[in-house]
Amino acid sequence: IQVEEDAINLWNWAVTKHTGSVINDEQRAKLRFVACRLVCLSEGSDPPEGTIRRQILMSMKTAKGWIDIGQADLADGFLDIAMSSIEKLYAKLLKGSDGEADIHVHKADVEKSLFKVLSYQAESVFAQGDFQKAVMCVQRCKDMLMKLPKETCYLSILCYNFGVETYEWKRYEESSFWLSQSYDIGKMDVKYSIGKEMQAKVLRLLATAYFEWNCTLYLDKALKAINLANQENLHPAGVFLKVKILLKSGASDEDIKSAVAEFLHHEMSLNFCLNTAKLLLEHGRESVGFDFLKSVPERFESSPDLGKITLLHIEFLLQMERELLAKQKVEEIIIGHYTGKQLLPEALNQLHIIMWDRAAKHYEAKSYSEALHWYNYSVSFYTPGQIDQNLAKLQRNMASCYLHLKQVDKAKEAVKEAERCDPNSIFTKFSVYKIAVLEKDTDKAVEAVIEMGKLAEKLSQHEDKLRVDENTGTNLLSLVAQIALENEQQVVAIKALEYLSEHLQDCRQLFAALKCLVRLMLSKVMAENEEIRNEDINSMLTYLTLAHKRLAESFTEEKFTGDLRILEAHWFRKVAWNLAVQFKACPEKMRDFFLLSFKLSQFCPSDKGVLIAQKTCLLMAAAVDLEMARQQVTTSEQAELLTQAIQHIQTCKEIWKVLKLTGDFAKDPTDTLLLLYEFEARSKLNDPALHNLMESVWEQPQIEVKTLEIIASLAMEAPARYPVLCKKALKSALNLHRKQTVIDTVKFSKCLHSLINLSLPTGLTDLDACVLQEVWDYFEDGLSVVSSTDAYPEMEILWLMTRAWNTGIFQYTVGKYKEAEQWCGLGMRFLNHLGSLKKSYE
């Protein structure tokens, strides 16, 4: 008993909260489910009549709740419970009945509940797609209507709803069945019928279902249904549908006239009449359509929408290519416009659209004079001095026609008028641009392009009452560039392409624009004097930098595939390379182009060719940085250049490692260049890493003499100063010279000269004995080579003799007579090897 009370309280609470919108339909269905289950569970073996009746009600409402929220499968169990409870109730009532009269009362009482359960079962199985079961349930309900006439309306509407749903699902056979049932049930009891208007509505949908199912096969049924509908309740939709069916069936004009005549004596709206006329004319029934259209104005003489009839007339005259008659109608409207018979604004707008469409067709057919004729009709409706964006568009269209007709002055007047009406329109600026190009006014054309670029960026503005498409600006500027190129106006084309390259989102279009831009600018640069080409070279750098940036961004664009990216990267890297070579007279620009070529090549597959190009680009960039650092620049600038050079060298080293794995590079000087470049940069930066670098150099078994000589030179080139390194490099170079089969005396002499100069600075007298001994050995090495060949440069022999003699003199002045005698004697030994100069010094 407690469970039953709790269940009833839960049920009542759900009803109250749902009424107060505290819980939604689904929540209510779930609460009913729980309450109903509890009531069923608490049922005894012989429940009283009240309990059974409550259980029937709760089961039906729970089932209906599940059906209403689209979970019909959950309703079936509760409907079965309701059916079982009805049987129990009937049995209990019969058991307690007293005579035949009581039995009839009880039976009638139970049948009401049975009807409801059967109708809910019909809804449930219908929702689950079981057509046959739904038919059976509805038929049982239909059989019960004789005893329950008040349910006629309910069952008729239920069948109508089934018909509507199956129609929407395009299950026309099922739909026609349900709609027929709805109509038949509605006729069963006039008193409780759904009414003539609803019956007509059912029949119209039935006719539509037949029509859309198969008009040819079910034409008679469709016509019968619509005729019955119109008999029940004449409605514009019914008449319109009948005409539609007749037209589809290919009925004669007479039959269609008869159908139209059905509603000529009834009150119909103007829009309905226009739609009917349009339907007739669209199906080629000109005679019936125009006759009907002519009869309409009489019925709506006082209507402010009377102009719609004329517009429809004009529209169909144009469709049937009766242009002369259409023009006459338009001219009548123009006369009426200025004699107090103006069209309503909406109708006037529609007329403008019709006239513009006709003008556009003539324009596409290149009948520019005819197009102007229709545009002039449109202009007729504007007052002088009126400012309107549509008028601006109209004037621009007229300007285009005049330009095609070579009437430039009239085109200029039209554009001037467009500027007055809508000066901030990108389309107006485009019209200005076209005339400037035609007149070869480059300055004005460029000015128009700049204005178009600015306007295209303001995508939030409205143009011709519609929001400008985000591509409008780029599309127009693409056309601007094309027109400029066709008219050989490079400066204008470049300006348009520059804007496009900054704003195009589509990668293919962007790279096409950039390629065109690069080609144009390159031809311009080649034709310029060196004094004025610097700005254009900077522009080229900008274009290539943008290409690199967009190639990097293109990885997120699905339509731009990897193969396309590689092709574009190859094209731009080669251009950058060629430009670097082309502008070698300008080292800084050459370096920038080489670096861009390297960056662009990083989007290409790392094959041997690309790796060689990358290596060369970085070597050239490092070389330029070093050369620029040697110039007279500030300390900070020099440090920045040298640091950049080291970065290029390090990257190049990594590439070179990979490249050497691809083939034999024994004769390639890259290792030597990388060594020398890195040594110069690090030595001038006083970089601690220089020590480690040189350790690797001394360990090399086959280092060239020339490399050592350059290292020695760089070691003492300001701001670097590494005398110990310099001396070590020179000594290593001398050793290598001596090891050669035939000594190159010229190179040997220069190397020895540098080593002695470094070890024995001019003007110093107080020298350590160890230093003097070291230098003495260098002189002895020189004397040895001088003695063994006649090819030793005489001036170098003279220099050695003089330095040895002077060193002796310096020793004499400080009282070191023994050392002085030795050094002077050394100098005398060189004297014997002089040629023509010997007598002068003896």
Side-chain angles (χ1 to χ4, degrees):
I1 294 172
Q2 185 62 46
V3 171
E4 186 178 12
E5 287 181 6
D6 290 343
I8 292 167
N9 288 334
L10 178 62
W11 180 279
N12 292 335
W13 183 86
V15 171
T16 305
K17 295 300 179 184
H18 184 266
T19 305
S21 301
V22 176
I23 59 173
N24 59 31
D25 291 345
E26 185 178 359
Q27 290 167 334
R28 182 180 65 170
K30 289 177 179 178
L31 289 169
R32 280 180 168 181
F33 170 86
V34 173
C36 189
R37 280 291 185 200
L38 288 171
V39 166
C40 293
L41 289 170
S42 64
E43 180 187 357
S45 57
D46 185 22
E49 180 184 335
T51 300
I52 298 172
R53 287 184 182 279
R54 186 186 302 115
Q55 197 174 83
I56 293 168
L57 179 67
M58 291 175 75
S59 297
M60 284 196 298
K61 286 186 176 291
T62 301
K64 182 62 173 169
W66 287 126
I67 292 168
D68 290 344
I69 65 168
Q71 296 189 42
D73 55 318
L74 296 176
D76 292 342
F78 291 96
L79 292 171
D80 290 340
I81 293 169
M83 192 66 80
S84 175
S85 298
I86 289 170
E87 290 173 1
K88 286 180 184 178
L89 176 63
Y90 188 54
K92 185 172 278 292
L93 291 171
L94 283 178
K95 191 175 180 181
S97 63
D98 183 18
E100 191 73 21
D102 278 354
I103 292 172
H104 284 298
V105 171
H106 296 325
K107 194 172 183 182
D109 183 25
V110 169
E111 281 178 341
K112 289 179 183 178
S113 297
L114 180 61
F115 182 89
K116 280 289 182 188
V117 172
L118 286 169
S119 68
Y120 290 166
Q121 283 183 331
E123 280 192 74
S124 177
V125 293
F126 175 84
Q128 295 176 65
D130 194 333
F131 174 68
Q132 291 301 330
K133 280 189 179 179
V135 171
M136 288 170 61
C137 291
V138 168
Q139 187 59 47
R140 287 187 65 184
C141 290
K142 191 176 176 183
D143 293 341
M144 297 172 72
L145 286 178
M146 295 297 291
K147 297 177 182 179
L148 301 169
K150 291 182 180 180
E151 301 296 339
T152 302
C153 181
Y154 168 78
L155 190 59
S156 179
I157 289 173
L158 181 67
C159 290
Y160 173 73
N161 290 338
F162 289 171
V164 171
E165 285 194 47
T166 46
Y167 171 79
E168 289 173 351
W169 298 335
K170 300 189 184 303
R171 283 154 44 181
Y172 298 117
E173 186 175 1
E174 292 180 21
S175 179
S176 61
F177 171 81
W178 290 119
L179 292 168
S180 297
Q181 287 292 309
S182 177
Y183 175 65
D184 289 343
I185 292 167
K187 293 191 299 180
M188 288 178 68
D189 193 302
V190 178
K191 184 179 178 182
Y192 298 108
S193 172
I194 55 177
K196 287 184 174 292
E197 287 186 9
M198 188 64 195
Q199 284 285 69
K201 187 176 181 180
V202 171
L203 288 166
R204 284 197 297 273
L205 185 56
L206 177 59
T208 305
Y210 282 131
F211 180 73
E212 293 185 12
W213 184 7
N214 189 325
C215 185
T216 306
L217 195 60
Y218 298 107
L219 173 65
D220 291 339
K221 289 187 176 183
L223 278 172
K224 183 181 177 181
I226 199 62
N227 284 331
L228 282 171
N230 291 340
Q231 287 170 19
E232 290 281 351
N233 181 49
L234 189 62
H235 188 277
V239 179
F240 189 81
L241 182 56
K242 182 175 181 179
V243 173
K244 193 175 179 181
I245 293 169
L246 288 171
L247 287 169
K248 186 74 174 179
S249 69
S252 66
D253 284 359
E254 290 302 317
D255 289 340
I256 292 169
K257 277 184 181 178
S258 299
V260 171
E262 287 182 19
F263 63 85
L264 286 176
H265 304 295
H266 295 272
E267 286 295 324
M268 301 292 177
S269 70
L270 174 60
N271 283 337
F272 171 74
C273 292
L274 291 176
N275 287 334
T276 304
K278 192 182 292 186
L279 179 68
L280 293 168
L281 292 169
E282 283 173 349
H283 282 79
R285 302 303 178 102
E286 297 173 21
S287 173
V288 184
F290 281 121
D291 285 347
F292 176 68
L293 203 56
K294 288 174 186 175
S295 70
V296 174
E298 298 173 10
R299 306 181 65 185
F300 299 97
E301 284 180 340
S302 60
S303 172
D305 285 329
L306 197 60
K308 288 183 178 180
I309 303 168
T310 310
L311 290 187
L312 186 64
H313 207 145
I314 293 168
E315 208 170 332
F316 277 98
L317 284 172
L318 290 173
Q319 282 184 22
M320 291 179 288
E321 298 301 326
R322 297 182 184 178
E323 190 162 324
L324 189 59
L325 288 172
K327 284 182 177 178
Q328 289 175 2
K329 288 283 182 186
V330 172
E331 287 164 7
E332 287 173 11
I333 293 175
I334 293 170
I335 292 168
H337 185 76
Y338 290 100
T339 55
K341 296 179 181 179
Q342 288 93 349
L343 295 174
L344 289 176
E346 184 183 347
L348 183 57
N349 285 339
Q350 184 61 31
L351 178 60
H352 279 301
I353 291 168
I354 293 169
M355 293 187 291
W356 285 28
D357 283 346
R358 196 63 183 177
K361 286 180 181 177
H362 282 302
Y363 186 89
E364 288 170 9
K366 299 183 179 179
S367 301
Y368 303 115
S369 296
E370 278 301 313
L372 280 168
H373 207 99
W374 284 96
Y375 282 134
N376 277 317
Y377 279 153
S378 187
V379 171
S380 302
F381 290 94
Y382 289 96
T383 56
Q386 185 175 348
I387 294 177
D388 187 277
Q389 285 191 341
N390 283 328
L391 179 57
K393 184 175 181 179
L394 182 57
Q395 292 291 351
R396 291 195 298 267
N397 292 344
M398 292 177 73
S400 295
C401 293
Y402 285 130
L403 287 175
H404 282 292
L405 294 169
K406 308 298 182 187
Q407 298 177 16
V408 180
D409 289 340
K410 287 186 177 181
K412 288 169 79 172
E413 288 177 17
V415 171
K416 189 176 180 180
E417 185 66 14
E419 284 188 286
R420 183 187 67 80
C421 293
D422 194 5
N424 294 321
S425 165
I426 191 170
F427 298 104
T428 301
K429 298 300 178 186
F430 180 62
S431 297
V432 172
Y433 165 79
K434 285 194 290 185
I435 292 173
V437 169
L438 200 65
E439 294 184 326
K440 300 190 183 303
D441 188 341
T442 302
D443 291 341
K444 193 170 184 180
V446 169
E447 183 184 339
V449 171
I450 293 169
E451 289 296 321
M452 286 177 71
K454 291 176 183 176
L455 290 168
E457 291 174 10
K458 299 175 183 178
L459 296 178
S460 58
Q461 72 179 25
H462 287 70
E463 175 67 39
D464 300 327
K465 297 182 181 179
L466 295 172
R467 185 173 292 279
V468 175
D469 181 76
E470 62 179 329
N471 294 322
T472 299
T474 52
N475 290 342
L476 269 180
L477 283 156
S478 296
L479 188 55
V480 163
Q482 182 183 332
I483 291 169
L485 291 171
E486 287 171 356
N487 288 272
E488 298 180 350
Q489 297 199 16
Q490 282 193 359
V491 175
V492 183
I494 286 171
K495 185 61 68 177
L497 288 166
E498 281 179 342
Y499 172 82
L500 285 171
S501 65
E502 291 172 7
H503 294 84
L504 277 170
Q505 297 302 314
D506 184 277
C507 281
R508 293 191 187 202
Q509 292 179 7
L510 168 74
F511 291 122
L514 277 174
K515 284 179 178 179
C516 189
L517 197 52
V518 167
R519 291 188 184 104
L520 284 173
M521 189 59 82
L522 189 57
S523 62
K524 184 170 180 278
V525 168
M526 292 298 102
E528 290 174 338
N529 296 325
E530 287 189 17
E531 298 79 31
I532 60 172
R533 65 164 56 165
N534 196 50
E535 185 178 339
D536 289 336
I537 294 173
N538 287 334
S539 295
M540 296 285 276
L541 282 167
T542 302
Y543 305 155
L544 293 170
T545 302
L546 180 58
H548 175 264
K549 179 187 173 188
R550 291 305 298 271
L551 279 168
E553 293 170 352
S554 69
F555 284 93
T556 58
E557 188 167 324
E558 291 180 10
K559 294 180 182 178
F560 198 66
T561 62
D563 290 341
L564 287 172
R565 187 181 301 107
I566 290 166
L567 284 173
E568 298 296 357
H570 272 305
W571 192 89
F572 285 106
R573 81 169 179 85
K574 289 174 182 176
V575 167
W577 175 283
N578 292 333
L579 288 169
V581 174
Q582 186 73 39
F583 301 124
K584 58 186 176 183
C586 181
E588 187 176 356
K589 296 293 186 291
M590 180 175 71
R591 176 202 61 189
D592 292 343
F593 281 120
F594 270 129
L595 285 174
L596 271 171
S597 183
F598 165 72
K599 289 177 182 177
L600 289 160
S601 71
Q602 290 179 303
F603 297 111
C604 304
S606 297
D607 56 33
K608 188 174 180 180
V610 169
L611 288 171
I612 290 172
Q614 289 179 340
K615 178 205 72 169
T616 308
C617 286
L618 290 168
L619 279 174
M620 293 300 295
V624 171
D625 280 333
L626 291 171
E627 180 60 34
M628 290 172 66
R630 293 184 198 115
Q631 310 303 320
Q632 292 183 354
V633 292
T634 64
T635 304
S636 61
E637 288 174 338
Q638 187 181 56
E640 185 180 348
L641 288 165
L642 293 170
T643 303
Q644 284 177 190
I646 290 174
Q647 290 171 355
H648 302 328
I649 291 161
Q650 293 303 113
T651 308
C652 190
K653 275 184 173 181
E654 297 302 315
I655 293 167
W656 180 231
K657 283 179 188 176
V658 177
L659 186 56
K660 284 194 285 189
L661 299 174
T662 65
D664 182 12
F665 292 92
K667 296 181 180 180
D668 193 294
T670 300
D671 279 321
T672 302
L673 290 172
L674 286 170
L675 168 62
L676 294 173
Y677 290 170
E678 187 173 2
F679 179 81
E680 180 176 356
R682 294 195 185 280
S683 63
K684 290 180 178 177
L685 283 170
N686 196 21
D687 190 337
L690 183 64
H691 175 73
N692 293 334
L693 174 67
M694 292 314 297
E695 284 300 317
S696 66
V697 172
W698 307 136
E699 291 171 5
Q700 291 182 21
Q702 294 181 332
I703 191 165
E704 293 183 0
V705 174
K706 186 177 181 181
T707 303
L708 290 166
E709 290 172 347
I710 295 171
I711 288 174
S713 174
L714 292 172
M716 299 301 289
E717 186 177 286
R721 182 164 179 81
Y722 292 92
V724 175
L725 270 177
C726 178
K727 190 185 293 185
K728 191 169 183 177
L730 289 171
K731 286 166 74 174
S732 298
L734 276 178
N735 288 333
L736 290 174
H737 276 302
R738 281 198 296 269
K739 289 176 182 178
Q740 292 176 359
T741 308
V742 178
I743 297 175
D744 186 331
T745 53
V746 174
K747 292 181 178 178
F748 179 87
S749 66
K750 288 181 179 178
C751 185
L752 183 63
H753 188 129
S754 298
L755 185 56
I756 292 170
N757 256 345
L758 184 65
S759 304
L760 189 66
T762 306
L764 290 180
T765 55
D766 188 15
L767 291 170
D768 187 87
C770 293
V771 173
L772 282 173
Q773 183 57 50
E774 181 187 341
V775 176
W776 179 276
D777 292 339
Y778 300 153
F779 276 95
E780 286 287 358
D781 285 343
L783 187 59
S784 173
V785 175
V786 169
S787 302
S788 64
T789 178
D790 295 330
Y792 206 96
E794 189 176 16
M795 293 305 294
E796 286 299 320
I797 297 172
L798 177 62
W799 183 83
L800 288 168
M801 180 193 77
T802 306
R803 285 307 302 270
W805 180 269
N806 289 341
T807 302
I809 298 300
F810 289 144
Q811 295 300 309
Y812 180 83
T813 58
V814 294
K816 294 182 179 181
Y817 304 116
K818 183 179 178 182
E819 289 83 352
E821 181 184 3
Q822 289 174 341
W823 280 99
C824 288
L826 180 60
M828 294 294 289
R829 289 162 68 188
F830 281 104
L831 178 64
N832 294 327
H833 296 285
L834 286 174
S836 58
L837 297 172
K838 184 177 180 181
K839 289 184 179 181
S840 302
Y841 286 92
E842 278 182 333

